Amino acid sequence: MSEYQAFVVELTGNVAHVQINRPEKINAMNAAFWTEIIDIFQWVDDTDAVRAVVLSGAGKHFSSGIDLMMLASVANEFGKDVGRNARLLRRKILELQASFNAVDNCRKPVLAAIHGYCIGGAIDLISACDMRYAAEGAQFSIKEIDIGMAADVGTLQRLPRIVGDGMLRELAYTGRQFGAEEARSIGLVNRVYADHESLLAGVMEIAAEIAAKSPIAVTGTKAMISYMRDHTVNDGLEYVATWNSAMLQSNDLRVAITAHMSKQKPDFVD
């Protein structure tokens, strides 16, 4: 496992804890953040010992979103030609999108543990996770509207499927701040914990429970759910039939059934 500038990564049992580690900058997403997150989630995908991921932020906040100094550095590259400036911006936006696509496309479940600020680009990030949990006092905002732009790294594409179209429009058009309880009520987060400590303990416990299941079954379940975002029910049924025609031959099925019948806890290989 590599050393990172913007993250700390730890593997405990079969759960990887990926922590944004720029607390002195409210975990703002600098240039290193965007490249390192791709490397980290490639490692997660490639490492069989990792069966679930918990994503959190160091210090008092989850993340204040994209580092404005990074945006300024892109603006400094502008020339006089509008077409070339547009090509530069488009390439940069697609690069940033790829960073959060790496989270979304990860074969392992990703659980976000959110406390303090979760603003702007941080909403894009948690939208790419499988599940989200918050501590009381967490504050959310789709802030891009207040700096004169449309969110462009995944919020507007992923969040309608999580909170619904109308609610997403309200939050995106107004940029208003909302708290943990409202986030839970609209389905953005699954559960609210009393504080940061209990949040991390609770989310790690859920991740460990997932990690104890058959990794073949968990991967297949995530693949089927993700597939259904862009396909019909019939497409999904056809796909899972094809998928399980191979995966039901896994030894994990025999292990799970034997453990269930003998009332023992199953032990699955990586």
Side-chain angles (χ1 to χ4, degrees):
M1 204 182 311
S2 303
E3 292 291 327
Y4 299 103
Q5 295 179 38
F7 292 91
V8 171
V9 181
E10 298 175 334
L11 181 60
T12 303
N14 294 115
V15 177
H17 185 189
V18 177
Q19 187 176 59
I20 310 170
N21 189 38
R22 301 187 73 223
E24 73 287 354
K25 298 293 185 181
I26 322 178
N27 290 328
M29 302 168 175
N30 64 351
F33 171 97
W34 297 94
T35 56
E36 289 178 355
I37 198 168
I38 293 177
D39 291 340
I40 290 167
F41 277 88
Q42 187 62 59
W43 168 78
V44 168
D45 243 17
D46 292 343
T47 305
D48 288 342
V50 178
R51 301 190 189 179
V53 181
V54 172
L55 180 63
S56 72
K60 296 181 179 180
H61 302 282
F62 179 75
S63 174
S64 60
I66 193 166
D67 192 325
L68 295 181
M69 294 298 292
M70 194 181 107
L71 289 181
S73 71
V74 174
N76 288 337
E77 297 180 45
F78 282 180
K80 295 181 179 180
D81 188 283
V82 173
R84 285 175 172 79
N85 290 345
R87 183 176 63 179
L88 170 67
L89 272 174
R90 184 176 189 276
R91 186 168 67 241
K92 178 57 67 176
I93 292 166
L94 290 174
E95 287 174 0
L96 300 184
Q97 289 176 358
S99 298
F100 291 164
N101 289 345
V103 178
D104 193 5
N105 296 333
C106 178
R107 293 181 298 117
K108 322 292 176 65
V110 183
L111 293 71
I114 305 151
H115 74 296
Y117 293 151
C118 181
I119 296 172
I123 300 284
D124 295 280
L125 174 56
I126 67 170
S127 298
C129 297
D130 291 83
M131 296 99 81
R132 292 147 294 277
Y133 303 86
E136 287 183 14
Q139 293 293 318
F140 302 82
S141 173
I142 303 174
K143 199 67 176 171
E144 287 84 351
I145 200 78
D146 288 335
I147 58 172
M149 63 175 286
D152 58 8
V153 199
T155 290
L156 304 183
Q157 292 70 36
R158 295 186 174 104
L159 216 55
R161 297 178 172 87
I162 298 170
V163 304
D165 183 85
M167 183 53 70
L168 178 276
R169 288 174 186 268
E170 177 186 319
L171 298 174
Y173 294 162
T174 65
R176 70 174 176 83
Q177 198 166 90
F178 59 100
E181 281 301 333
E182 183 175 357
R184 186 194 57 78
S185 71
I186 64 176
L188 179 60
V189 302
N190 291 11
R191 200 174 303 174
V192 176
Y193 293 85
D195 51 38
H196 187 204
E197 184 178 353
S198 59
L199 167 71
L200 275 180
V203 176
M204 290 296 287
E205 183 178 352
I206 295 169
E209 183 178 357
I210 294 169
K213 308 296 184 183
S214 159
I216 295 292
V218 172
T219 297
T221 300
K222 177 167 182 173
M224 295 309 111
I225 294 171
S226 298
Y227 183 84
M228 283 311 300
R229 290 189 305 193
D230 304 310
H231 295 84
T232 67
V233 171
N234 283 339
D235 288 341
L237 291 171
E238 180 70 23
Y239 188 43
V240 74
T242 302
W243 182 282
N244 268 357
S245 66
M247 296 307 172
L248 288 180
Q249 299 181 59
S250 167
N251 191 54
D252 285 14
L253 189 66
R254 182 188 63 79
V255 171
I257 292 173
T258 301
H260 180 74
M261 294 179 67
S262 61
K263 297 185 176 5
Q264 300 293 317
K265 184 179 179 180
D267 183 18
F268 301 102
V269 298
D270 290 337

